[in-house]
Amino acid sequence: MGTRRSALALAQSSAFARDLERATGVRVETVGITTEGDTNSAPLTAMGGTGVFVQAVRAALRSGDIDFAVHSYKDLPTAGPSDVTVAAVPVREDPRDALVTADGRPLSRLPAGARVGTGSPRRAGQLAALRPGLAVVPLRGNVDTRLGRVRDGRLDAVILAAAGLARLGRLGEAAELFAPDRIVPAPAQGALAVECRADDAAVALLLASLDDAVTRAAVDAERAVLVELEAGCSAPIGAHARRVGRVLDLCAVITATDGGRRTFRRAEVPLDPVAAAAAGRELARGLRKEYERGAR
């Protein structure tokens, strides 16, 4: 199994490996891989944003150094290569965004001018729309680095994925978890994509034992929004689908990075992955038209 070397990547991939060993009886060896996103401290937008955490891991997969790779699904480019396949999308962790503050205050109690760190244009725009007057500060780094900026007083708060905190056993440090229709998560946030070579039927069959059909359909709908809008993982676009009875409730948002314009739409989406993706593209087309008209 190949994975990035970060503490979070190792935690989420190790959990998948344990589940795979229990389900299939195979023994999994972990291979840590350093990616461009791990070594380059520049903003993701300056590096192109898409694929910087993925390319080195996929190279190891293609070369045969590893048999499968575990990624944070939101890091994958929307256009997948033909020689690699997503063989499993396990049950998703908490998809919400989390706010961490030094004294446990929620967003509504942060004072005007409070410094909130995030490296995500999506989060920056939605924060600015919710709380005008905050100072959104660009921030990159692992979970410890981001939380450390709050502990040492350089920031009043940081916003990051609840899934990452949960997988590291630190969700209790969150002062607030935002409902997915209040701050709409990144498409596929909290989900894993487990890839293998497209011609490796034996490994694909093993991995498929942990595939979750509902999570896969939800992620396909969310990522279809990005595909239709021709955007990448660093774009100020959020999309989230959750199961409600026999359908998915899909919501999506486009927000100007300064919060000055926010367009939100939601729709019921079929649970079938192909139909869910088609519905996601349809919702995105309507979202784009509204945003271009300046709807709020």
Side-chain angles (χ1 to χ4, degrees):
M1 175 181 67
T3 180
R4 292 171 56 203
R5 295 180 184 274
S6 73
L8 175 55
L10 289 169
Q12 65 191 22
S13 59
S14 295
F16 177 83
R18 289 191 296 271
D19 290 343
L20 187 65
E21 289 175 341
R22 284 194 292 265
T24 66
V26 302
R27 186 181 67 84
V28 178
E29 176 186 352
T30 299
V31 178
I33 297 167
T34 301
T35 70
E36 180 187 1
D38 298 313
T39 58
N40 192 334
S41 61
L44 292 182
T45 50
M47 290 187 282
T50 302
V52 297
F53 295 114
V54 174
Q55 293 167 359
V57 182
R58 280 182 171 166
L61 183 60
R62 291 188 176 102
S63 69
D65 291 339
I66 58 175
D67 297 299
F68 68 92
V70 178
H71 307 280
S72 291
Y73 209 150
K74 67 183 180 67
D75 291 338
L76 292 190
T78 52
S82 60
D83 60 340
V84 171
T85 186
V86 177
V89 183
V91 174
R92 174 151 57 179
E93 183 54 87
D94 192 331
R96 294 175 291 179
D97 279 320
L99 184 76
V100 178
T101 57
D103 55 5
R105 282 184 292 179
L107 183 66
S108 62
R109 292 182 55 204
L110 289 178
R115 294 166 56 82
V116 182
T118 177
S120 162
R122 172 191 61 83
R123 289 173 178 145
Q126 294 192 71
L127 277 173
L130 277 176
R131 278 292 316 276
L134 295 178
V136 179
V137 179
L139 176 67
R140 278 203 60 211
N142 60 31
V143 171
D144 277 336
T145 296
R146 299 184 198 199
L147 297 182
R149 298 292 188 272
V150 176
R151 287 194 300 269
D152 65 18
R154 281 184 279 180
L155 294 173
D156 298 294
V158 293
I159 182 169
L160 63 174
L165 291 175
R167 286 173 174 140
L168 292 171
R170 304 181 68 171
L171 189 58
E173 297 181 40
E176 185 171 2
L177 296 172
F178 299 105
D181 57 358
R182 188 174 179 221
I183 292 186
V184 184
Q189 184 160 300
L192 301 179
V194 187
E195 291 186 326
C196 67
R197 292 180 292 277
D199 61 359
D200 196 339
V203 170
L205 185 62
L206 284 173
L207 298 175
S209 65
L210 294 182
D211 188 63
D212 181 71
V214 173
T215 302
R216 184 181 282 270
V219 166
D220 284 354
E222 295 162 12
R223 284 171 61 82
V225 174
L226 282 185
V227 171
E228 184 64 31
L229 297 176
E230 300 178 340
C233 64
S234 61
I237 295 166
H240 176 258
R242 66 184 183 95
R243 183 175 185 171
V244 180
R246 297 176 180 271
V247 298
L248 294 170
D249 174 36
L250 172 65
C251 65
V253 69
I254 303 176
T255 311
T257 53
D258 64 0
R261 184 185 302 176
R262 180 182 188 273
T263 304
F264 176 92
R265 282 179 73 107
R266 73 189 318 152
E268 287 188 354
V269 171
L271 278 170
D272 173 74
V274 174
R281 290 192 292 271
E282 181 180 358
L283 183 146
R285 287 191 288 270
L287 187 70
R288 177 166 50 202
K289 288 178 182 177
E290 287 188 26
Y291 186 80
E292 290 173 349
R293 287 198 302 262
R296 292 186 61 90

